[in-house]
Amino acid sequence: MGELDMDQVPVFRHVAHRVVAARPAPPMLALDLHDVTFVDSSGPNALLLTRIQAHRLGTTVQ
């Protein structure tokens, strides 16, 4: 991935949504951000929105 910025956030959100919306919903979504080298202000917002969506569907995010 490399960066979690306003150019990459839509890609991240799309993939995260597909994973969380899968049926049956996964019990946990583990995000490995080890290779992320840059996060702008849109990154934390995307992570928070992913966590909220996952929580509503019964999935925890780590």
Side-chain angles (χ1 to χ4, degrees):
M1 183 178 263
E3 299 180 353
L4 189 55
D5 58 13
M6 79 174 169
D7 291 333
Q8 293 301 315
V9 160
V11 175
F12 170 82
R13 294 279 299 139
H14 176 74
V15 172
H17 174 76
R18 288 187 57 189
V19 170
V20 173
R23 292 290 170 244
M28 181 182 66
L29 173 61
L31 300 175
D32 180 0
L33 303 176
H34 181 264
D35 291 330
V36 175
T37 58
F38 176 79
V39 177
D40 73 5
S41 61
S42 63
N45 187 46
L47 294 170
L48 179 60
L49 290 174
T50 298
R51 183 190 169 279
I52 290 169
Q53 177 193 16
H55 180 60
R56 286 182 181 153
L57 298 171
T59 300
T60 59
V61 176
Q62 294 186 350

